[in-house]
Amino acid sequence: MSTNMFVVASRLGKVKPSASIAAKAKADALRAAGRTIIDFTVGEPDFPTPAHIVEAGTQALLAGHTRYTASAGTIPLRKAIIGKLQRENALSYEISEIVVGSGAKHIIFNAFTASLNTGDEVVIPAPYWVSYPEMVLINGGVPKIVDCPAEKGFKITPDALEAAITPRTRWLVLNSPNNPTGAVYSEDDLRALGEVLLRHPQVWVMTDEIYEHFIYGGANHVCILNTTPTLRSRTLIINGLSKAFAMTGWRIGYGAGPTELIKAITLLITQSTTCATSAAQAAASEALNGSQDCVAEAAKLFESRRDRMVQQLSAIDGISCDLPPGAFYVFASVAGLIGRSTPDGNILNTDQEVANFFIEKAGVVTVDGTSYGLSPYLRFSFATATSEIDRGCVALAAAITELHKP
Ligand code: PLP
């Protein structure tokens, strides 16, 4: 071994790359290599940022907002966030309780860095967004994964939460609507979880509400602080502009929580990224203060695509799924395909193998459920054109007819 060989830090030893980002990269690479690919991995709206928001960002640049801002975010943006939390969530926050980051992901990461000591535990209901356990590991914590099967609506029950909590538990991560299942926690669900949490004062709640506007069938988004307000002194709300306003590339997210935690997250920002991009913060202020029609339109569009995708997927032999109540993903069981063999004689034993078969035979890229902590499932994003949904489902059905049942 050469002496100048790069050695990765030991804290990265157990960390996996993001499965959804890797699947998307695979789809892009295959397309670049000339294959016709239908990409169901997409974790972002497929339409551009609304024009009035782009205009605000452009005007900010032209007006000279091209410098560092306060590390916790500009005052106008933090005020816009406070206004949003009051207006949409009936929650009151002060400026000192808000921090802006370069995406919600940045705030989640920094919250773990700011709070976890080696061996501290974080309760993560599975299926989970792929990044939570990895961010916990990077920061020396221990992910305590709690299985939440389809029969429980992919949601953590009060009993399962109670059983997972130990004296070392620092956080419960709640994500409603959920990526990858679309599960939405109702007021009753949250009240019941809140009762458990009130018995364990050492446990903080990280509530990731980034898909809050994508809830279908007339249901409403509820935050655990609406049902259990006494948890306010140990709750961090995570949200961002990426999904609701089609602003993934602008990288603006935020946290709302107790001042001491917000201060610690801000300290990390001062010593890492300094601040979120100045013009993006101006665009985000406009997004939150301006007309919300674009959000309602996006939700309506996603709802019709969801219905179309579920109708077609559930008609395919070997795939089963229900209508997800939120987000923009269908988490479909492929248990019916396990054990079947491909024309080359290979038996499909895992959802990863099913995902690879779909790439090879149908040109359809999905993300395997194993990466989200529950198998055998695949995540299909419907943040893509209706014509792609139709083409993809036809291609999948055709590929499946080539499989032999055991
Ligand atoms: N939280 C969840 C559940 C997500 O699915 C994502 C992105 O896929 C994020 C947070 C990160 O969002 P942002 O773009 O604001 O970093």
Side-chain angles (χ1 to χ4, degrees), residues 103-105 108 129 132 175 179 208 210-211 242-243 251:
K105 201 172 198 173
I108 299 168
W129 179 44
Y132 300 133
N175 173 212
N179 175 6
D208 179 345
I210 196 140
Y211 294 98
S242 286
K243 316 284 177 179
R251 309 306 302 126

Side-chain angles (χ1 to χ4, degrees), residues 243-301:
K243 316 284 177 179
F245 298 95
M247 290 180 71
T248 47
W250 298 77
R251 309 306 302 126
I252 298 290
Y254 55 89
T259 305
E260 288 311 311
L261 171 61
I262 296 299
K263 254 198 215 161
I265 293 173
T266 308
L267 172 67
L268 288 164
I269 292 176
T270 65
Q271 296 295 18
S272 54
T273 49
T274 300
C275 61
T277 304
S278 51
Q281 292 191 61
S285 305
E286 170 59 24
L288 295 175
N289 290 334
S291 164
Q292 301 298 298
D293 291 354
C294 54
V295 182
E297 279 161 25
K300 212 167 138 214
L301 180 67

Side-chain angles (χ1 to χ4, degrees), residues 49-66 247 250 278-284 286:
T49 306
H52 68 286
I53 300 173
V54 175
E55 178 67 19
T58 310
Q59 288 306 326
L61 289 171
L62 291 171
H65 294 287
T66 53
M247 290 180 71
W250 298 77
S278 51
Q281 292 191 61
E286 170 59 24

Side-chain angles (χ1 to χ4, degrees), residues 188-363:
D188 287 348
D189 294 333
L190 292 168
R191 189 171 297 110
L193 293 176
E195 277 166 22
V196 174
L197 291 163
L198 291 177
R199 293 197 285 275
H200 299 280
Q202 81 281 18
V203 183
W204 282 55
V205 186
M206 182 183 290
T207 166
D208 179 345
E209 312 198 344
I210 196 140
Y211 294 98
E212 76 168 304
H213 293 292
F214 301 134
I215 296 190
Y216 312 113
N220 283 329
H221 170 74
V222 184
C223 173
I224 194 162
L225 294 183
N226 301 129
T227 62
T228 320
T230 34
L231 290 174
R232 191 187 186 285
S233 58
R234 49 186 168 109
T235 293
L236 177 66
I237 296 176
I238 300 286
N239 211 324
L241 286 282
S242 286
K243 316 284 177 179
F245 298 95
M247 290 180 71
T248 47
W250 298 77
R251 309 306 302 126
I252 298 290
Y254 55 89
T259 305
E260 288 311 311
L261 171 61
I262 296 299
K263 254 198 215 161
I265 293 173
T266 308
L267 172 67
L268 288 164
I269 292 176
T270 65
Q271 296 295 18
S272 54
T273 49
T274 300
C275 61
T277 304
S278 51
Q281 292 191 61
S285 305
E286 170 59 24
L288 295 175
N289 290 334
S291 164
Q292 301 298 298
D293 291 354
C294 54
V295 182
E297 279 161 25
K300 212 167 138 214
L301 180 67
F302 285 139
E303 182 158 13
S304 68
R305 290 173 175 180
R306 168 196 76 150
D307 295 350
R308 195 168 181 121
M309 183 177 248
V310 168
Q311 192 198 5
Q312 295 184 67
L313 278 181
S314 52
I316 298 176
D317 167 43
I319 299 185
S320 68
C321 55
D322 293 324
L323 278 175
F328 41 64
Y329 311 101
V330 176
F331 199 61
S333 168
V334 290
L337 299 177
I338 300 298
R340 296 194 194 181
S341 40
T342 68
D344 322 330
N346 295 320
I347 295 177
L348 299 177
N349 289 311
T350 64
D351 51 19
Q352 287 151 323
E353 289 172 7
V354 174
N356 285 335
F357 171 74
F358 284 166
I359 295 176
E360 291 312 316
K361 280 283 175 256

Side-chain angles (χ1 to χ4, degrees), residues 77-119:
L77 178 52
R78 281 185 283 163
K79 282 189 173 161
I81 292 164
I82 288 170
K84 179 261 177 247
L85 289 168
Q86 189 70 64
R87 185 177 71 236
E88 296 182 346
N89 309 101
L91 297 171
S92 300
Y93 280 89
E94 306 282 332
I95 285 275
S96 63
E97 296 173 310
I98 306 290
V99 59
V100 173
S102 304
K105 201 172 198 173
H106 187 210
I107 300 292
I108 299 168
F109 189 97
N110 283 342
F112 287 141
T113 311
S115 60
L116 294 179
N117 287 315
T118 306

